[in-house]
Amino acid sequence: MFWYLRREGEKPTCIKRCLDDQNVSKFACKHETHNSTLEISNVQKTESGIYYCAFEYSSYLIFGNGTTLIVGDSYSNSSWVMLLVPFPYGSQVTGTANLACVIHGVSSPVHVSWSVSGELQEQGLTRSLKAKDGSLMLINHINVPMDTWTSGKNFTCEVKFNSSGNSVKTSTRYPAAPASKCSHYIVPLAAVAGLLLLLVSLSLVWTLCPSTLGFQPRISAPPASEEHQGGILYAHLDFDSRNRNGRTMQRSARGKRVKA
């Protein structure tokens, strides 16, 4: 059995051969029937990282998934967590979707776990970038089937900055598909229909109840006088008219002689 330590931005380094008695005071291997445990005495913050156990088999080393050890608190004033997800719309996509959890401004490794609607997923792959001030930016990403991503389930990234403090969780889900093109015309059509309805209503009010709009109804002319003389109908029609000066002038229309 071997134990390797990988610090952020460094290659894994072998720190313990379980058959070797060197550095017994610092690292010790504890063996049981089906597992092996590494014990670290007087642990320091510089020993934060991911520890891998390795088993030698036929001249090959078989590594485990690794265990993250956080000594102290990795959180700083510039720390934040953000999720990056695939672009939701576009051409038909098949295969897998890649989701990334970005942890910015940490002083040492953090523990990242993923869950889909409450069910824990396998650990993602982590890549690290080191800034000039010595802080780290970690990118942990997972690949999920496209149908799982588009199913509407909640995808949660949980980040632990230390062993005892509260964790930071960020969640996302596949957004709903955009509305169809026809729906883009619903609002303009509704506005036009409402305007037409208003115009028709005003027309009816104008016709039936003009006085309610502040206009006085037109007074119909008195009925024309009619008289019968010898089988001939005479009609006298009076019209009101205004000249250019606004004064009222009366003009008598000549009756039309019609045989009965």
Side-chain angles (χ1 to χ4, degrees):
M1 294 292 300
F2 300 86
W3 283 95
Y4 283 78
L5 169 61
R6 183 176 70 85
R7 298 182 177 90
E8 294 298 334
E10 298 180 5
K11 295 181 180 180
T13 303
C14 182
I15 59 172
K16 180 63 177 177
R17 293 173 58 96
C18 289
L19 296 180
D20 192 351
D21 292 335
Q22 294 181 1
N23 297 328
V24 175
S25 59
K26 184 65 178 178
F27 300 101
C29 297
K30 301 295 182 180
H31 297 288
E32 295 182 7
T33 305
H34 298 291
N35 59 71
S36 178
T37 304
L38 178 68
E39 291 185 356
I40 307 174
S41 302
N42 191 23
V43 65
Q44 303 295 321
K45 190 171 183 179
T46 55
E47 293 166 341
S48 297
I50 304 178
Y51 287 78
Y52 297 91
C53 64
F55 175 71
E56 187 175 8
Y57 178 77
S58 298
S59 70
Y60 292 96
L61 288 178
I62 301 176
F63 285 85
N65 294 329
T67 301
T68 301
L69 174 63
I70 304 172
V71 182
D73 196 345
S74 300
Y75 191 86
S76 66
N77 294 331
S78 60
S79 298
W80 48 260
V81 179
M82 180 179 62
L83 280 181
L84 299 179
V85 299
F87 188 70
Y89 313 125
S91 59
Q92 183 68 27
V93 182
T94 58
T96 59
N98 194 327
L99 286 77
C101 187
V102 181
I103 306 98
H104 176 271
V106 294
S107 59
S108 58
V110 298
H111 183 268
V112 182
S113 60
W114 290 87
S115 63
V116 179
S117 295
E119 298 181 1
L120 290 177
Q121 302 296 303
E122 296 183 359
Q123 292 183 351
L125 298 177
T126 302
R127 297 182 180 180
S128 61
L129 298 174
K130 196 169 185 178
K132 294 181 179 179
D133 59 357
S135 64
L136 298 172
M137 183 175 69
L138 310 178
I139 303 176
N140 186 284
H141 63 90
I142 60 172
N143 291 322
V144 296
M146 185 59 65
D147 55 353
T148 303
W149 164 238
T150 57
S151 63
K153 296 182 179 180
N154 284 327
F155 289 79
T156 302
C157 172
E158 181 178 0
V159 180
K160 292 183 178 181
F161 292 88
N162 53 56
S163 58
S164 59
N166 295 329
S167 60
V168 176
K169 296 182 180 180
T170 55
S171 300
T172 186
R173 66 168 56 188
Y174 181 79
S180 60
K181 294 182 179 180
C182 295
S183 63
H184 295 167
Y185 301 98
I186 292 179
V187 174
L189 289 177
V192 173
L195 182 60
L196 291 177
L197 181 61
L198 179 61
L199 292 177
V200 171
S201 301
L202 291 176
S203 299
L204 291 176
V205 173
W206 173 276
T207 304
L208 301 178
C209 304
S211 60
T212 60
L213 296 178
F215 297 96
Q216 297 296 329
R218 293 174 54 187
I219 301 176
S220 58
S225 60
E226 298 179 359
E227 56 180 345
H228 294 272
Q229 294 182 3
I232 300 175
L233 176 64
Y234 289 89
H236 301 279
L237 305 178
D238 295 329
F239 297 94
D240 291 338
S241 61
R242 294 182 181 272
N243 61 5
R244 294 181 180 179
N245 296 327
R247 291 178 299 177
T248 302
M249 298 182 62
Q250 292 187 356
R251 181 181 61 185
S252 298
R254 296 181 178 179
K256 185 177 181 180
R257 189 170 183 176
V258 183
K259 291 184 178 181

